[in-house]
Each structure stands twice: as structure tokens, then as C-alpha cells.
Amino acid sequence: MAVTFVGVRHHSPACARLVRETIERLRPAHVLVEGPVDFTGRLDELLLGHEPPVAIFSYHRDGDRVGRCWTPFCGYSPEWIALHAGRAAGADVRFVDLPAWHPALADRDNRYADAEKRYAEATGRLLREFAVDNTDVLWDHLVEIADPDGLAERLDAYFDLVRGEADAGADDAAREAYMARWVRAAEAAAGGRPVVVVTGGFHTPALRALTAGPGPDGGADGGAGWPEVPEPPDGSEGGSFLVPYSFRRLDAFTGYQSGMPSPEYYERLWADGPDGAAAALTESVVTRLRERRQPVSTADLIAARTLTDGLTRLRGHRAPARTDLLDGLVAALVADDLDQRLPWTSRGPLGPGAHPAVVEMVAALSGDRVGRLHPDTPAPPLVHHVAAELERLGLDQSGPLTVKLTRPRGLERSRALHRLRVLRIPGFERESGPGSGADQVLDERWRIAAADPRGDREAALIEAGAYGPTLADAAAAVLDERGARAGTDVAGLADVLFDAALCGCADQSGGVAASLAAGIAAASDVPALGAALDVVLGLWRHDRVLGTAGSPAFGSVITECTDRLLWLLEGTLGAPAPADHGRVRADAADRDALRAASAPADAG
């Protein structure tokens, strides 16, 4: 058979080396990679010359929600190496997995999320057999620091074992059936030349089985040409853009549930080998501790290296593994009793109260690398719109800023800043300003950080582009989504409406008003309804600064709140128990609405 399957663990340096060696040896006609098929036509953009980690950010809007999914790559990701090595070998390189909007992926934030929970029983037997704590330690022992000879066979045996007892589920079955069509088509189009297929190892046994015989129609799919790329459903829209990513977002110790923990360690392992990685990161840990005034002597450093070497030999490793390094550092540098398990003995974020030395070890092996996109990388319209708005409004300089809400330019600047705030764009922090509609504060104080050394703002802006092409459109869409998510939480809905007022899109954001109406109609919390009515009434009556005085959207909310409160309060009688101040305030808000807002109530 001309098809060579390379099952990988995402972000594994050993798998990346195997992928590169396989492609260079076979010089295939086609290289097929697990990734969003709708991005295949833009591979030139992905291969511009970025500094990883980077990710393909995909979004899908269907009117009710915005779905978002990331396909991340670091410099040692097998998929990243497959794309570059395949292009260098002159192969036709393609992504062959379903688009991120497809129902099989629609609920995933990360395309490369591992399926470890589904094969826990199989790996559990391996953990017991090899006497190790978790799959990360097992993986290092079997793959990353093991003899590279026979690696392909070990990987096949490992993935056959874990897939053999796992329930794939309908979502993975749909993805695998689609990828299998591409494999058959590539084999037919290759004319006898090799085809290399790089996918997560969980999928590899199924793809081998699906492509071993004829296609579903009784013949090879390739006879009919390449499979079609699915289109989003009618009435929806979607797209993909490249974003800078970071090791912080890739690390299992910060909650990332795919691939490898401690990305800086594996970056060093990829570049310098296990001995080089251990030496460099031991020095890094010691430097971090000394910078934080933790005492570390030269003798401690020698002890750490000696203990790491001893653990390596004791555990039968040909070179120090990640946990050999970490355990050696703990043994040498931590003299106190530890109140919690060491984080690398499990998977997940550090718990509160972790020992300072352990915190620095995890941080050193996690790293702080941030990817950078090539200057020619396309960006969504929102990125360009924000840059132009910041320059036009003089908000592109760092430092404190006082905004006068009574001046047209000041109000315009305030609305732009609040739109950035609700979109969670880093670098724009409000220090003071009005906190409610009745709050007669006419100034706002902000602190702006124009520089973006970590790339967080660039990534956040690109991802916010899923909500709309302009600041006003995107902020309104986010507020609509927040309103729908708040449900019957009237206090939360009132917060959303106040944010809409600050953003200057209270009347533009129709979804917020609809969510408020639905939430109020189902609410039974009298104090919360009264508090919401008090806020909205203040905005409707007095706030000519924010432009909400007399707003039809606010008038509709007042009508809904007033009617609902009258119905809930009907028949309420006094009692000898202490006064319920929340209900009293609700009564007062209802009274004020009936006195001052009879026009909207009648119009409602």
C-alpha cells in the first residue's frame, strides 16, 4: 500500500522528528494533515515565516451564539513539521479534517484536545505495569527519551492499544469517515507514489481500517476526485484567521487539555536533546529563584544535577526525563514539608499555597514564549478598524487618561474604551467613572498601555473579530451574547444593559433588550427586579451624558419591570417581622417608575 500513516501525540518532539524523517525519506506525492480542511487554500499564509507558537482561530456565528475553536502549533508540533517538510519535499500538502463549525467539532475550543478520558482503562494498565504516575510520565518513558530505533512500531502498538478499547463516539466517527475519503482520494491521485497521513494517534487505527478496503460506494473515492469542502449552513457565517499563541496557553499546568505539559522543556528537548534541556532548565530554575531572593547556593545546583543524574539511572532512562529533572530539583532545593502533591504527578493547574520553589520550577519549564505573526499576515477588519480608531481618538499612547463625558470628543473616547473593555482587549483599564445611571460622575479615569510585548492584545483583537467588523458591531454582539447567557439573572441583565449604555449601543443591541424582556418575564426575585428597575430608571430619566435619557430600549425595560413587580407585589401585607429592605427598595422603584415614567409605561 502506498499510504504511510504516522499517528502522533500533538506537540510531541519525538513524533515531530518521526514525521520529518518519514517525509524526507519517502518524498511523497501528498501529505495529508489533521487540520481544518477549509484552511487548505490558505496554507501559503500559514507558511509565511511566523515565529511559533501560532494558531488558526476559527469562528462561526449562527445568530444565537459565536462558536470559537483554535488549532495551535508550536515549533515542534508534528502537524507544523508535516506542513513545512511536505512543502519542502515538493508534496501536495492538505488539511483533511472537518471545518471547526461542523457539528462534530462545534463544541470544541481546541481541535487537538486529547481523548485521554476515553482510553483511561488501557493507559491505566500501562501506568501500573511501568509504575509511573500519569500518561505524561509514561509517554516520556516510552517515546520522548527512549531509543529512537523502533519508535514507529512502538507508537503503532501504543495507539492500537488505547484505541482498541475506546468508544470513539459519533463525532470522531464523522471526522474519521471524512478524513478516510481524503486518504483514498490521495492514494488514487498519487499514481503509485507514496502518500503520508499525519493525524492524532487516536484516529490512526480507525483510518487504517477505513481505507483498507473499498469506499462506501464500493469503489475508491479518488475516482470521483477530491472530497468536497463542507460549507456553513444557510443563515450562518464563519471564518478563520491566524493568531499569535503562547506557551502559557499551551501548558497543561494552566488548564490546557491537549498535547504536552511544560512546553518550554519540550522546546529545549526539540532543539538541544534531553541532556541540553535538563542543563539549561536547571540553570533557569536557579536564576528565577535567585531573582526572587530565594537562597540557592552553588552546592545546591551541583546537588540538583547529581540527583537528576541519579534518578535518571535509577529509573532506567538513557537520558534525563522531565520528571527526573523536576524531582531532582525538588530533592535538592526544597527542605520543607510539602502540603500538596507535586503538580507533575497529575495533570492540571497549580493549587493555591504551592511551595515557591515548585512554582518557579513549573514556570521555568512552562516558559513565557509568545508567537509572532509575519507582517504580511491577513487580519480581520476589526483589527484595522481599532487601529484607526485609536489613532483618530488619540488613544494610542500609554499612560493615564482623564475623559470628560460632557464633551462630545470625551464621550466618543469613553465609548471606544468601553467597547474595548467589553471585548476584553488587554491594555485598557478604567480606574474610576460612573457606576450607575443615577451616578452624577462626569469624568472617567483610564490607564492605557499602548505597548503589546506579549502579543496578548493582537491575539485578543483577532479573536474579537469573530463578533463584527467594527468596534460598535463587535461590542453589541458580545453584549447580546452576555444577555442571552444571563437567562433570568436580572442583576446580570441590568449590568449588561448598563455596559450597553456605556458603550453607546443600548439601542443598537437588540438582543440585550430581548434577553431582558425574557428574563424579566420569568423572574421572581423581587429585590433583584427592584434593583434593576432603579438602575434603568436612572439611566432613562437623567442620563443625558451617556445618551440614554428617553431611550426606547430603556423605556421598554421599565415597562416590563414595572408590570412584573406590580404582579409579584400584589397582595403583599405587612408583618411583624423585620422589614425586607430589598422588597422596600423594589416598592420604591416601582413607585418612582409609575410617577416619572408614565410615558414609556403607556407606550409599552
Side-chain angles (χ1 to χ4, degrees), residues 509-523:
S509 182
V512 173
S515 297
L516 272 163
I520 290 166

Side-chain angles (χ1 to χ4, degrees), residues 17-39:
R17 288 192 189 92
L18 179 63
V19 166
R20 183 174 61 191
E21 292 164 2
T22 302
I23 292 173
E24 290 176 349
R25 173 172 51 85
L26 295 177
R27 309 291 295 181
H30 300 281
V31 174
L32 308 183
V33 182
E34 180 186 341
V37 68
D38 51 334
F39 205 82

Side-chain angles (χ1 to χ4, degrees), residues 344-572:
W344 49 88
T345 62
S346 59
R347 166 72 70 96
L350 278 168
H355 193 282
V358 174
V359 172
E360 295 306 325
M361 292 172 200
V362 170
L365 271 68
S366 296
D368 55 7
R369 297 186 189 224
V370 177
R372 294 193 179 277
L373 298 179
H374 189 277
D376 295 337
T377 307
L382 179 66
V383 174
H384 306 294
H385 181 263
V386 167
E389 284 293 278
L390 292 178
E391 183 178 358
R392 182 179 69 86
L393 296 171
L395 301 175
D396 53 352
Q397 302 295 320
S398 295
L401 175 70
T402 299
V403 174
K404 301 288 185 181
L405 298 177
T406 52
R407 299 176 183 174
R409 180 173 172 81
L411 182 59
E412 193 175 10
R413 295 171 101 187
S414 170
R415 287 176 171 175
L417 290 166
H418 279 292
R419 290 165 184 173
L420 291 164
R421 177 181 61 81
V422 301
L423 290 172
R424 297 185 177 180
I425 307 302
F428 304 94
E429 180 184 357
R430 188 171 84 145
E431 297 179 335
S432 66
S436 72
D439 195 350
Q440 298 301 305
V441 176
L442 303 180
D443 295 343
E444 286 183 331
R445 288 190 58 80
W446 293 79
R447 182 162 295 277
I448 300 174
D452 186 26
R454 294 183 54 86
D456 292 340
R457 181 183 300 173
E458 181 184 13
L461 279 171
I462 294 171
E463 292 166 11
Y467 288 96
T470 69
L471 263 178
D473 292 336
V478 167
L479 291 167
D480 285 350
E481 188 176 74
R482 280 176 52 192
R485 200 165 52 238
T488 58
D489 177 7
V490 178
L493 290 166
D495 287 343
V496 173
L497 192 58
F498 185 57
D499 272 345
L502 292 170
C503 291
C505 54
D507 292 317
Q508 177 183 352
S509 182
V512 173
S515 297
L516 272 163
I520 290 166
S524 57
D525 186 336
V526 169
L529 280 167
L533 178 57
D534 194 42
V535 169
V536 177
L537 185 62
L539 287 166
W540 183 85
R541 290 179 66 188
H542 306 298
D543 215 327
R544 303 191 183 280
V545 173
L546 297 179
T548 57
S551 161
F554 284 69
S556 175
V557 173
I558 292 169
T559 300
E560 296 281 349
C561 264
T562 303
D563 290 348
R564 183 66 177 168
L565 278 170
L566 286 172
W567 186 83
L568 290 171
L569 292 169
E570 184 179 4
T572 300

Side-chain angles (χ1 to χ4, degrees), residues 82-110:
L83 297 173
H84 285 78
R87 181 63 65 88
D92 177 32
V93 182
R94 297 172 184 264
F95 283 134
V96 294
D97 197 4
L98 290 168
W101 57 261
H102 192 278
L105 286 157
D107 294 327
R108 288 199 181 196
D109 288 337
N110 190 318

Side-chain angles (χ1 to χ4, degrees), residues 233-248:
D234 292 340
S236 65
E237 60 180 275
S240 295
F241 289 95
L242 295 180
V243 296
Y245 220 62
S246 67
F247 276 1
R248 176 177 52 84

